[in-house]
Amino acid sequence: MLSFAQVSAARGKAKVVLVYPAEALNTVAANALLKTLEEPAGLLRFVLASAAPQQLLPTIRSRCQPLQMALPGREAALAWLTGQGIDQPGVLLDATGGRPQEALQWSEEGIAARTWLELPRRIAKGEAVALTDWPVPRAIAAMQRLVHDLMRIAHGAGPAYFPRDALPKLPAVRTALDQWARTLQQAARHADHPLNAGLLMESLVAQGQQAMRPAR
C-alpha cells in the first residue's frame, strides 16, 4: 500500500487516503484493504481513483460509492495538447483513451505518435525490442489495447486506440487473439514485479505475433 499513498500536511481531525491508480492494487493488497474500507476508523476516508474500475475486485467495488468524472471534450483536449507542443496530438489522445494529461505524460517520456503508430506492425513482426524501454505495466497495457482493437474490428466495430490503417488486416475472429488477451490479463496482475522483464516481453510479443499471423 505504501507505494500508492502520499502523505501531506493537513489540519483537522479528518484524514483522506488517496489510492491511485486503484486498479494497480494486487490481490493481496486489495484483500487487505477490504476490512478497512468496510469499517474505516474515525473520520478516515478512502478515495480510490481508477481509469479502469472494472479491473477492481467486485468486493472492493461493492464497498465504494461510485462517482464518475467525465473526460474533457475532444476538441478542448486537442487544443490543450497542441498548446503543449505535442505532435499529432490526436494519435496520443486516442492511445490514452481520451485522457490529455496521460497523453502529455507519454510524450514527455518519449512515446511519440510515430512510436504508437508503428507498434502494431513491429509486434506483428515479433520485434520485442519495440517495448524494451517501456515500463512493463505500460507495455502490457499497450498490447492489451492492441488486441482490444483487433477484436473490435473482428466483430465489426471500429478501433478505439489505433487508427484502422495502422492495424494488420485479419480475416476473421481468432481463438489466438482471445488467448493472447487472457495471457496479457494474467501478466498485468504481476506487471510491477516481473521475474524477468525481458523474457516476459519476448514471450508476450511472440504470442502476439502468432495471433496476428496472416491466415493461409
Side-chain angles (χ1 to χ4, degrees):
M1 285 294 296
L2 292 179
S3 61
F4 298 92
Q6 291 185 353
V7 179
S8 61
R11 295 180 180 179
K13 297 180 180 180
K15 294 182 179 179
V16 178
V17 177
L18 172 63
V19 182
Y20 175 79
E23 68 270 16
L25 287 167
N26 60 32
T27 304
V28 175
N31 284 329
L33 185 61
L34 283 175
K35 185 63 176 179
T36 306
L37 287 177
E38 193 171 58
E39 299 178 0
L43 296 178
L44 176 64
R45 295 295 182 266
F46 282 83
V47 177
L48 275 63
S50 174
Q54 71 279 1
Q55 295 182 18
L56 296 172
L57 292 177
T59 46
I60 290 285
R61 296 200 303 268
S62 68
R63 288 165 170 78
C64 296
Q65 179 179 347
L67 177 62
Q68 292 188 348
M69 301 184 68
L71 294 170
R74 182 173 181 82
E75 290 186 5
L78 289 175
W80 182 76
L81 288 170
T82 300
Q84 303 298 315
I86 306 301
D87 184 41
Q88 295 182 269
V91 173
L92 290 184
L93 187 63
D94 289 340
T96 55
R99 299 173 179 84
Q101 288 184 319
E102 187 175 352
L104 177 61
Q105 181 183 3
W106 280 28
S107 178
E108 291 174 342
E109 295 178 359
I111 302 177
R114 180 179 178 181
T115 304
W116 185 253
L117 294 175
E118 291 179 347
L119 190 61
R121 176 186 60 81
R122 298 191 69 181
I123 292 179
K125 294 174 64 176
E127 297 181 8
V129 68
L131 297 169
T132 299
D133 296 330
W134 294 39
V136 173
R138 180 171 294 168
I140 293 175
M143 286 186 280
Q144 287 180 307
R145 294 177 187 191
L146 172 56
V147 73
H148 175 270
D149 273 4
L150 291 172
M151 294 179 77
R152 281 178 61 90
I153 291 175
H155 287 88
Y161 301 107
F162 291 89
R164 184 182 287 269
D165 58 7
L167 298 169
K169 293 179 174 60
L170 303 182
V173 178
R174 293 187 172 192
T175 302
L177 283 178
D178 184 62
Q179 292 174 342
W180 189 30
R182 292 176 184 274
T183 301
L184 289 168
Q185 184 178 22
Q186 181 65 31
R189 296 174 183 172
H190 309 285
D192 289 316
H193 305 286
L195 294 178
N196 188 309
L199 288 178
L200 176 62
M201 286 300 102
E202 289 182 7
S203 174
L204 294 176
V205 169
Q207 187 171 350
Q209 180 188 24
Q210 182 64 34
M212 291 189 285
R213 192 180 302 278
R216 296 179 180 177

